[in-house]
Amino acid sequence: CAGTTSLTINPFACPTITVTPAPMPGATVGTAYNQTPTASGAPGGSSYAWTSTGLPAGLTLNASTGNVSGTPTAAGTATSTATYTGPGGEQCQGSTTLEIQAFCCPQILIHVP
C-alpha cells in the first residue's frame, strides 16, 4: 500500500519585542534609583528573561522583572535587554538604555549687599 500526504512547515519568526520606556529615566551617581521597564510583543502569557550590560556598581537588575534599583556609584550607560525564548529555542530580544549621570552640584550664587 502506498499513500501520500502533504506537510506544511511554518518557520518561527521572532515577534518584535518592545521595551518601554526607551530610554529609561536617567539616574544620578549617589542618588537612589528604582525603575521597572516593561516588555511586550511575545505571545500572551509568555515570560521574559532580563539581562543588563554596563550596569555600574551600586545598581542591580532583577532577572525576572527587569527592575533596576540601588544607588549608582559611577556614571555611564547601561542596556537592559528582555529575551523571549521561542518554541524552537529562538532568542527574541528587545532593549532599552539607562544613562547614569555624574553628580553635579547646583550653582550657588552669593549676593553681597
Side-chain angles (χ1 to χ4, degrees):
C1 296
T4 60
T5 189
S6 62
L7 173 65
T8 302
I9 299 175
N10 294 320
F12 175 79
C14 273
T16 299
I17 306 300
T18 303
V19 178
T20 55
M24 291 175 63
T28 303
V29 171
T31 302
Y33 188 81
N34 187 13
Q35 291 290 322
T36 303
T38 58
S40 61
S46 298
S47 61
Y48 300 90
W50 290 86
T51 56
S52 187
T53 56
L55 210 58
L59 289 178
T60 59
L61 171 78
N62 181 312
S64 298
T65 67
N67 177 264
V68 176
S69 62
T71 302
T73 60
T77 301
T79 301
S80 290
T81 301
T83 301
Y84 159 68
T85 301
E90 299 86 3
Q91 301 284 302
C92 310
Q93 299 179 327
S95 61
T96 185
T97 58
L98 166 62
E99 187 75 28
I100 303 102
Q101 299 290 323
F103 176 77
C104 183
C105 294
Q107 183 179 10
I108 300 172
L109 299 175
I110 300 173
H111 294 281
V112 179

